[in-house]
Amino acid sequence: MRYNRFHRETNFLTPTRYTQALSEYAVNLRFEEIPAEAVEQAKALVLHTMGAVFAAKDTSESEKILKMAMEANGGEGGPVTLWTTGQKAGALNAALAMAAMADELAWEGYSWTGPAPAAAVPCAWLAAEERDKSGKDLLRAVVAGCEVYQRIAMAVQPDAKRWEKGWGVTSWQIFAAILPIAVLYGFDARRVDQAIGMGCESSTLPTRYHLTTMSDFGHYEYGYRARDGFMVAKAVDKGIRNCRDALDESRCYRGIICGNDAANGDGDVIVSGDESAPTWFTRELGKRYFLTEMVLRRWPGALWTQAPAEAAARIVQEHAVCPEEIDEITVSPVTEGFTHAPEEGYGSMLQAQTSIPFVVASALRGLDPGAAWYSEEGRKDALTTTLAKKVKALETMTEFDAYAAFREGTFPAVTVSVKLRNDERREASASLTAGTAAPMEDAARQFRTQTAGVLSPEKAEEIIEAVLRLEDCASVAALSDRLFVKAKPEA
Amino acid sequence: MGFNSHSITTDYTRQICRFVKELRYEDIPPAVIERAKMNIMQTVGVSLCGAELRQIQDAIAIAKELSPGAEAVATLWADGRKVSWEAAAFLAGTMGDLLDWEDCSVTGHPSAGVITTAIVAGEALDKSGKEVLTAIVAGYEVYQRIALAGDTNIVSLNIFGNLTVLMKLLNMDEEQMNQTLGLGTACSIIPCNIHEVTMSDSLNYLYGYKNLNAVTMVKTALAGVQGMEDALDDPTAFLEHLAYQEPRWITKELGETWYMMSMILIKHWPANVFVQTYTELAVRLVTKYKFNPDDVEEILVRPSVEFRHWFSETGYQSVTQAQFSIPYGTACAMYHPEPGAVWYKPETMTDPKIIALMLKVKADGFVEFGNLNVIKDMIDGKHPEKFMIVRMKNGEEYVESAFTHPGHPNYMLTRDEFKERFRLETKNILSPEKTEEAIDRICRLDQFDDVSALVACLY
């Protein structure tokens, strides 16, 4: 039932109903009413995320996470399929592995609030497979999941000051996991509301300690959130009592994420200024599709490495630069905190992925983008490290401002300028959103790049074709069986 | 020390790791070991008792979905099926606090995590009774200190007790432990208690999630994840996000004072901690004076606790809401003086007789709380004496009073009382033979080379 003990004066009902409105939106969203460009983007996100997972197929980190997932599963068996191995597993454990792998190379789609597809796409696909839903159901769940996720995340974004304390990029990901599953499990609005409530109480602290220390645990966190999302959905599916309207009560989520203090649910929570912005919960709901504004990352690397990498690649394409002849590289503007170039190479994948110098150096060398960039050898490669140290930033912008510009569509073009030993200069510019005009076409091109050396060209085309026609698919379970089990994906 | 964009000026995390690494069974006082055994008895007993309720049957079903493969290393309590370590850990954690009957420390319910994690891991890893008991003591001591350093969600802090148990049982080195605690901070949940705001039994699943995630975290750490060290010392990794920050608690009297002896109350009744003494009084009254609850005119409680003194004219659907109601606990205890899962069956929570009696429970004043440490004050023995006055329709009046209930650290149950409670808790789940076997094995746990011997008695 709807009950909140702090609202005696309104018969224990919260005065607002944001949670219920979001829940009703997710439940009532019909495939036929979704604009074609949103459906196109949903398919692109599915294909692109799947490509990110395949790109990570053979890494040692993937081996670890797959081993953990199969141990938790009690060995092979279950209703869903691990994309990269064709093994059968329970959806809970498959979600752990697929979502962690989706973020492992930092190559999945990215929104203003983080890589929503990392959990949203694996959870949607696995829930659709588990419950034998159609491709239309799957796409509807991806759209609903991304739209609800983005609005919840936007409502609790920190101000510039709080940004220093932490940013919950891996925290609000729980909603990207829960919502698609809730839709595919056929929850009514009451249960979606409860699932959001359990998502709030399962939300992790908005710390991003992995970025403070450059730990690859950050990648695992997406897997943890995806499995948490399934656990929440399973509990709600079985039936829980109450736990509704959590987004409407400051002390249940937004006041805690944005607050200066929290009194264990018993007392007042101080919400810091205007940080918590509850009007975001339902902003332009059903009218504007935020998922169409997500970026399909063209390069394996943090968001702020994308435009520099693209510009560097253009220099290579247009001028055939020899890396050994490079004297200096300038990039402008760069995002603060993303310019590290350690003498000894990069200690973790994340440290390399968040380094504009590393990604620019890798692109300038013309190295095929993929897992090899972030292998132990790739991160310590002498030539890449030498090139990375030649990267100089001209103008900088704070990460907080960079996200604001991304959100407002004003992120400036990034220029990479290479000075050669003969004093000649080569220069190119690129925008953050380069290549997203025709999402599915872009995603297909990306998928071929992501899976090169991992899947046979025939298998890659088969998967592209299947996702391209996803709305015609009557059974995601049968499709998974065809794509991943009967002919196990091999290079 | 690895890369960190902040400067680290303290070594709390490392001190914790050293304590856990160096703790030996032989160094733990016998009274502490005895308490650990009794806490096992209590937590396992109330966990099994909860299996009579639907939510645990649901959790069993989810645990089976979590482990559909054929390779099994642990047992689903109350069910008997062999499953993965993760699945068994999830179920046991969900069971631990379902009846709100296991314990209450000054900061939450550590036993729901520490005990369940230890027994399940002990089985999965073939650990001895001594190893499990040592890990349990380490788990309580670390949990309690981190929990006192910053206020957060009541379940959130369990992750540190759970991780400590596993770190010890896996014999991690100090560096691995340091990484593991960092994973714990990264996955700590935000300081909100939605279950208490909305009175939801979703809470019980959260304990299961902490158990499940703790297993995955130690496996992640053992697989070689790096860079998560010193998280209890970093300025923004953990404490900064909690309701207050008192880091001195993290290592206070570590290895010198056993907080599990003084800061953990054992629940005597399946109900919220603030409901305990009133329930105790209700049972004493109805058994001592043998009145028929139907004939009660009015029940006065003096003083009551304002945020637990609520009624419902239609009864309760949520187990949590019923557990948190002094009037419900009082009325239910008078009709069912023998506690058990029956208190929270749907038909009991909506029983017209219990609802009618609940509506007769009146508060004569409320306990005054001067600060947020209301539970700490209670466990410190600072709460006032409570009176319950029962006025019958024929004019007779019965009165009982108590400061607290058996199980309070100042009024701890004896071993025989723990045994009696265990028999009561498991009577509808285990055969009498298995119950006695389980009691015997818990009491002699330090003599077993493999705690699987105990788990074999739990279904």
Side-chain angles (χ1 to χ4, degrees):
Chain A
M1 65 180 189
R2 293 187 67 196
Y3 174 87
N4 185 305
R5 71 184 183 87
F6 290 122
H7 295 278
R8 187 186 296 267
E9 70 285 359
T10 50
N11 198 25
F12 300 104
L13 299 176
T14 54
T16 58
R17 54 191 307 282
Y18 293 121
T19 325
Q20 188 68 12
L22 280 171
S23 305
E24 288 171 5
Y25 164 78
V27 167
N28 295 329
L29 182 66
R30 295 175 59 234
F31 181 81
E32 293 71 19
E33 292 169 358
I34 303 171
E37 61 268 28
V39 172
E40 173 90 349
Q41 177 77 345
K43 287 196 283 188
L45 291 173
V46 169
L47 184 63
H48 185 254
T49 309
M50 209 171 258
V53 171
F54 276 111
K57 176 176 176 281
D58 297 322
T59 69
S60 58
E61 293 302 315
S62 294
E63 191 181 330
K64 292 174 191 172
I65 195 82
L66 285 165
K67 179 171 179 281
M68 268 188 269
M70 293 314 285
E71 278 182 12
N73 205 64
E76 197 169 352
V80 306
T81 314
L82 295 172
W83 301 340
T84 56
T85 66
Q87 290 171 297
K88 287 292 183 182
L92 293 149
N93 301 308
L96 172 73
M98 295 296 98
M101 288 171 70
D103 187 67
E104 192 183 316
L105 296 178
W107 211 349
E108 77 280 36
Y110 215 93
S111 79
W112 319 319
T113 56
V121 169
C123 286
W125 187 287
L126 295 167
E129 184 180 2
E130 183 189 34
R131 297 295 170 103
D132 198 16
K133 298 290 183 180
S134 71
K136 281 183 182 173
D137 292 329
L138 165 58
L139 292 168
R140 186 171 69 89
V142 169
V143 173
C146 288
E147 294 306 313
V148 174
Y149 155 89
Q150 187 71 330
R151 285 168 173 81
I152 296 175
M154 282 307 300
V156 294
Q157 289 301 293
D159 63 15
K161 187 179 171 198
R162 183 172 298 279
W163 188 275
E164 299 304 315
K165 185 174 163 179
W167 186 57
V169 61
T170 58
S171 178
W172 39 76
Q173 186 77 201
I174 185 90
F175 300 106
I178 288 174
L179 264 296
I181 306 168
V183 168
L184 287 158
Y185 277 14
F187 287 176
D188 58 18
R190 178 180 59 88
R191 288 197 182 213
V192 176
D193 192 326
Q194 290 179 316
I196 291 173
M198 283 193 80
C200 290
E201 60 184 350
S202 299
S203 287
T204 51
L205 298 172
T207 63
R208 72 168 189 171
Y209 190 49
H210 63 283
L211 279 163
T212 301
T213 61
M214 292 297 165
S215 171
D216 287 325
F217 182 62
H219 304 306
Y220 285 77
E221 282 206 60
Y222 294 94
Y224 278 63
R225 293 304 99 74
R227 187 177 66 183
D228 286 348
F230 262 103
M231 292 301 289
V232 164
K234 299 264 179 206
V236 172
D237 197 31
K238 298 287 182 196
I240 59 162
R241 301 291 182 187
N242 304 357
C243 205
R244 293 174 67 183
D245 306 326
L247 298 175
D248 297 85
E249 170 54 56
S250 166
R251 280 161 283 209
C252 288
Y253 183 67
R254 57 189 165 87
I256 306 295
I257 295 281
C258 293
N260 283 332
D261 195 358
N264 209 16
D266 288 330
D268 289 332
V269 170
I270 303 163
V271 177
S272 176
D274 296 325
E275 269 184 77
S276 166
T279 57
W280 264 104
F281 287 134
T282 50
R283 187 170 296 186
E284 298 176 89
L285 194 58
K287 294 174 186 160
R288 183 175 169 187
Y289 286 80
F290 290 137
L291 91 163
T292 62
E293 297 168 50
M294 291 181 186
V295 168
L296 302 180
R297 281 190 277 193
R298 308 194 96 196
W299 302 90
L303 186 64
W304 312 126
T305 68
Q306 297 298 303
E310 185 71 18
R314 285 180 187 172
I315 290 173
V316 173
Q317 277 175 355
E318 292 166 15
H319 305 289
V321 171
C322 174
E324 285 81 359
E325 295 301 313
I326 293 174
D327 192 40
E328 184 185 79
I329 305 160
T330 59
V331 182
S332 187
V334 297
T335 307
E336 277 178 12
F338 288 78
T339 55
H340 41 277
E343 289 286 333
E344 67 285 5
Y346 294 83
S348 68
M349 288 197 296
L350 189 68
Q351 193 174 27
Q353 288 159 353
T354 53
S355 166
I356 291 171
F358 178 86
V359 175
V360 164
S362 300
L364 281 174
R365 289 188 62 191
L367 301 174
D368 291 334
W373 280 20
Y374 299 113
S375 65
E376 179 81 20
E377 298 74 29
R379 290 185 276 115
K380 307 282 185 190
D381 183 89
L383 181 53
T384 305
T385 306
T386 302
L387 266 184
K389 284 189 286 188
K390 292 179 179 175
V391 173
K392 305 281 185 295
L394 293 183
E395 294 174 45
T396 61
M397 59 197 303
T398 67
E399 194 181 10
F400 182 82
D401 290 339
Y403 271 110
F406 174 28
R407 188 166 64 244
E408 290 155 13
T410 59
F411 193 88
V414 174
T415 300
V416 174
S417 178
V418 172
K419 183 185 156 207
L420 302 176
R421 286 184 179 162
N422 62 7
D423 283 340
E424 287 184 18
R425 280 197 172 270
R426 305 284 183 257
E427 195 169 283
S429 298
S431 72
L432 179 62
T433 53
T436 54
M440 196 53 201
E441 199 177 301
D442 194 32
R445 191 165 48 242
Q446 286 287 346
F447 188 80
R448 292 182 190 105
T449 304
Q450 290 168 315
T451 59
V454 177
L455 294 180
S456 67
E458 296 75 24
K459 176 55 78 177
E461 293 308 316
E462 185 187 4
I463 294 173
I464 292 170
E465 187 66 16
V467 177
L468 191 63
R469 298 177 179 280
L470 203 50
E471 65 265 52
D472 301 328
C473 168
S475 165
V476 173
L479 180 61
S480 298
D481 209 33
R482 177 166 66 82
L483 290 180
F484 309 127
V485 180
K486 284 183 178 162
K488 291 196 177 186
E490 287 171 3
Chain B
M1 188 181 290
F3 176 84
N4 191 313
S5 59
H6 301 136
S7 58
I8 304 294
T9 58
T10 56
D11 67 345
Y12 295 123
T13 321
R14 287 166 195 268
Q15 286 190 55
I16 289 275
C17 297
R18 190 159 312 124
F19 164 75
V20 176
K21 186 68 188 172
E22 293 178 354
L23 184 66
R24 298 185 317 151
Y25 178 84
E26 294 72 19
D27 298 334
I28 302 170
V32 177
I33 292 293
E34 171 68 8
R35 183 67 60 82
K37 289 179 182 175
M38 294 305 104
N39 287 3
I40 292 172
M41 198 178 291
Q42 174 74 356
T43 306
V44 168
V46 302
S47 296
L48 293 174
C49 188
E52 292 182 57
L53 298 183
R54 198 206 70 189
Q55 191 172 5
I56 294 307
Q57 293 307 312
D58 290 343
I60 288 172
I62 294 172
K64 290 176 180 174
E65 286 188 56
L66 187 54
S67 180
E71 297 162 16
V73 296
T75 306
L76 294 181
W77 296 0
D79 180 83
R81 175 162 158 177
K82 306 292 183 202
V83 293
S84 68
W85 180 5
E86 288 84 347
F90 159 70
L91 175 64
T94 306
M95 295 169 98
D97 188 59
L98 184 88
L99 292 172
D100 205 355
W101 199 358
E102 75 283 26
D103 72 353
C104 191
S105 88
V106 295
T107 52
H109 303 290
S111 301
V114 165
I115 299 293
T116 57
T117 294
I119 302 297
V120 172
E123 182 193 17
L125 299 169
D126 300 325
K127 294 294 178 181
S128 72
K130 281 184 178 174
E131 288 173 299
V132 166
L133 287 163
T134 308
I136 285 171
V137 173
Y140 277 125
E141 295 304 311
V142 171
Y143 160 88
Q144 194 58 72
R145 284 167 173 81
I146 296 177
L148 284 162
D151 193 17
T152 183
N153 179 299
I154 196 168
V155 186
S156 182
L157 296 159
N158 279 52
I159 197 72
F160 297 105
N162 299 355
L163 288 175
T164 300
V165 165
L166 298 177
M167 281 153 37
K168 187 68 178 168
L169 284 174
L170 287 161
N171 195 26
M172 282 184 174
D173 61 37
E174 290 179 44
E175 184 52 41
Q176 288 170 325
M177 291 185 188
N178 197 339
Q179 298 292 332
T180 303
L181 290 173
L183 306 193
T185 64
C187 295
S188 287
I189 52 180
I190 59 174
C192 67
N193 283 309
I194 296 173
H195 72 280
E196 195 175 333
V197 175
T198 69
M199 284 295 137
S200 176
D201 42 23
S202 61
L203 169 73
N204 303 305
Y205 282 117
L206 298 194
Y207 287 98
Y209 299 166
K210 296 309 113 193
N211 279 27
L212 167 64
N213 281 336
V215 177
T216 308
M217 282 179 210
V218 293
K219 288 188 175 183
T220 305
L222 287 173
V225 162
Q226 295 294 311
M228 298 299 286
E229 64 272 14
D230 303 327
L232 298 174
D233 302 274
D234 182 89
T236 64
F238 181 60
L239 281 180
E240 179 69 11
H241 299 267
L242 307 191
Y244 59 76
Q245 296 82 37
E246 295 184 11
R248 65 187 173 84
W249 274 108
I250 296 175
T251 52
K252 189 176 179 184
E253 301 173 299
L254 193 58
E256 297 164 9
T257 300
W258 307 95
Y259 286 172
M260 63 177 281
M261 302 298 284
S262 59
M263 292 194 185
I264 299 176
L265 166 157
I266 295 298
K267 297 261 190 81
H268 207 212
W269 307 95
N272 177 262
V273 70
F274 292 107
V275 181
Q276 292 291 304
T277 305
Y278 303 101
T279 312
E280 182 83 27
L281 293 174
V283 172
R284 281 190 203 169
L285 282 160
V286 78
T287 51
K288 183 173 177 182
Y289 298 106
K290 301 189 187 333
F291 57 78
N292 184 344
D294 292 349
D295 299 329
V296 170
E297 177 70 26
E298 182 181 58
I299 301 170
L300 277 182
V301 291
R302 179 189 303 151
S304 187
V305 177
E306 191 167 14
F307 57 84
R308 294 290 182 266
H309 199 97
W310 54 52
F311 308 87
S312 166
E313 292 183 358
T314 54
Y316 295 109
Q317 292 182 324
S318 159
V319 169
T320 300
Q321 197 155 19
Q323 287 167 339
F324 279 46
S325 165
I326 289 171
Y328 178 81
T330 300
C332 190
M334 286 188 178
Y335 278 105
H336 300 278
E338 188 175 279
V342 65
W343 283 21
Y344 301 110
K345 291 196 167 170
E347 58 271 27
T348 311
M349 293 194 292
T350 53
D351 183 335
K353 286 187 168 186
I354 291 176
I355 294 169
L357 187 57
M358 161 165 67
L359 296 174
K360 294 175 183 173
V361 179
K362 310 280 167 48
D364 184 8
F366 294 106
V367 177
E368 289 184 10
F369 296 121
N371 57 51
L372 286 174
N373 292 323
V374 289
I375 300 178
K376 188 167 187 309
D377 286 350
M378 173 188 286
I379 292 176
D380 286 346
K382 294 175 183 170
H383 278 206
E385 185 173 13
K386 290 112 187 159
F387 292 82
M388 184 171 284
I389 301 125
V390 176
R391 292 184 181 137
M392 307 300 293
K393 289 175 181 169
N394 64 6
E396 289 181 12
E397 188 173 291
Y398 309 114
V399 182
E400 281 286 318
S401 72
F403 280 94
T404 185
H405 58 90
H408 187 281
N410 299 337
Y411 188 20
M412 188 47 67
L413 299 166
T414 64
R415 182 185 266 211
D416 283 342
E417 287 171 331
F418 271 109
K419 287 180 181 178
E420 276 311 307
R421 237 38 190 176
F422 187 83
R423 291 182 184 107
L424 193 62
E425 290 153 1
T426 59
K427 72 174 195 177
N428 295 328
I429 301 292
L430 301 180
S431 66
E433 296 74 25
K434 276 208 169 174
T435 294
E436 294 309 316
E437 238 178 297
I439 289 172
D440 176 63
R441 289 179 187 189
I442 292 168
C443 291
R444 295 190 300 112
L445 197 61
D446 45 339
Q447 298 169 25
F448 284 88
D449 291 333
D450 187 341
V451 294
S452 302
L454 168 60
V455 177
C457 304
L458 304 185
Y459 57 91

